Amino acid sequence: MTTQEAFCVRCGSADTRVTRVDRASAEGACFRCNKPFHATPCQGCGGFRIGGSLGIPGIRFENLPESVSCWDCGHDNPLRDPGPE
């Protein structure tokens, strides 16, 4: 992991407050969508800077992508369930 930063699982925003991070997961709150999140690490590098399930912050896809990319290593990770709205 190259950073302690974790992107929001829902919207992909980097505007987050991380409350707990370890090798297996990160927890925090997103200031952009005002929701808590529980992130899993990238399967390639172990970082938490992964695009959100809704893709580009502020944009909602008509059809969700099958994978989301890690900003640290570019690895395509399976789409993660963002949890209840």
Side-chain angles (χ1 to χ4, degrees), residues 26-79:
E27 295 177 359
C30 177
F31 295 114
R32 182 175 187 86
C33 66
N34 201 29
K35 302 270 186 196
F37 66 84
H38 179 86
T40 54
C42 170
Q43 295 174 352
C45 69
F48 292 98
R49 295 181 353 126
I50 302 172
S53 295
L54 301 181
I56 301 167
I59 302 294
R60 291 185 179 263
F61 290 104
E62 189 171 311
N63 297 311
L64 291 176
E66 291 183 16
S67 62
V68 286
S69 296
C70 176
W71 283 44
D72 289 328
C73 72
H75 182 80
D76 284 332
N77 294 275
L79 182 67

Side-chain angles (χ1 to χ4, degrees), residues 5-22:
E5 183 180 33
F7 287 2
C8 175
V9 176
R10 280 187 182 75
C11 69
S13 175
D15 192 13
T16 61
R17 178 177 49 99
V18 177
T19 56
R20 188 194 61 74
V21 65
D22 60 36

